[in-house]
Amino acid sequence: MATRATLAAAPRSVLGKKVKRLRQQGLLPANVYGRGLQSLAVQLDAREFLRTVRAAGVRSMFELKVEGEAQPRFVLIRALQREGGTGDPIHVDFYQVDLSRPILTNVPLRVVGEAPAVRDLAGTLLVATETVTVRCRPLDLPEAIEVDLSKLTSFDATITVGDLVAPPGVEIVTDPSTLVATVSPPRLRLRGEAAAAGAAEAEAGEE
């Protein structure tokens, strides 16, 4: 089971347009909802939220500890509104998961190791897919799924989703044929081969 990042929140009584006052105080308004649950308005420290999410990743599952509640809530970020679309967060929607029910969500891929085709043949690593969709129980949700680059021994070698190894209890539902990574030949080598081929053709023409 992956280590969960923790967020601290407090119940929120300021609603509607008045939440602007919260933001001026460095607080981030949020809502927690879930299957069969009544929506709960909360507020978080904006800087701490941003620091935690940047470190853990926006697709991670978080332990949300709400002031006054004995047990943490396990939540996913379902919507994150930013100032001007790309600025600081101004509101977040958390989805509280049911720990007994499987969820469908995206998980980032993490490349590990070294590709021999890059190290020995001076190729360039091309990563085509950065996330995959998985189905699992919430507490089995991994922080990332590893991509072993040691399989890329030549320019013809590829890694697809079907080559990935999921942790126990996790099912990858992304199409297995989806390309994850490959290595392209160095440009200089291709140009040299083209020049050599051109010279060979010219010699053949002279004959």
Side-chain angles (χ1 to χ4, degrees), residues 63 100 106 135 164 185:
E63 286 190 37
S100 65
N106 292 330
R135 180 186 291 112
L164 303 179

Side-chain angles (χ1 to χ4, degrees), residues 42-152:
V42 297
Q43 61 194 41
L44 305 88
D45 181 278
R47 288 186 178 180
E48 186 64 17
F49 169 83
L50 197 56
R51 183 194 67 79
T52 302
V53 171
R54 281 176 174 170
V58 72
R59 296 184 179 88
S60 298
M61 186 166 68
F62 300 88
E63 286 190 37
L64 183 67
K65 296 184 177 180
V66 181
E67 184 179 310
E69 296 186 351
Q71 300 296 327
R73 297 170 180 248
F74 290 87
V75 299
L76 299 169
I77 295 176
R78 277 294 183 249
L80 182 61
Q81 299 178 28
R82 294 180 177 271
E83 187 174 7
T86 58
D88 291 335
I90 57 175
H91 190 278
V92 59
D93 283 335
F94 292 110
Y95 180 80
Q96 181 174 338
V97 300
D98 182 344
L99 298 183
S100 65
R101 297 173 62 90
I103 58 173
L104 195 68
T105 190
N106 292 330
V107 170
L109 298 180
R110 178 190 299 140
V111 296
V112 295
E114 188 176 14
V118 173
R119 182 191 62 226
D120 303 329
L121 304 177
T124 300
L125 177 66
L126 300 177
V127 177
T129 304
E130 296 183 346
T131 64
V132 290
T133 303
V134 303
R135 180 186 291 112
C136 64
R137 293 185 184 276
L139 293 183
D140 290 330
L141 183 65
E143 296 177 354
I145 292 178
E146 294 187 345
V147 180
D148 182 5
L149 297 182
S150 66
K151 299 177 180 179
L152 299 177

Side-chain angles (χ1 to χ4, degrees), residues 185-205:
R187 285 188 173 185
L188 291 178
R189 179 176 177 177
L190 289 177
R191 289 173 181 168
E193 290 176 349
E201 291 178 0
E203 291 177 0

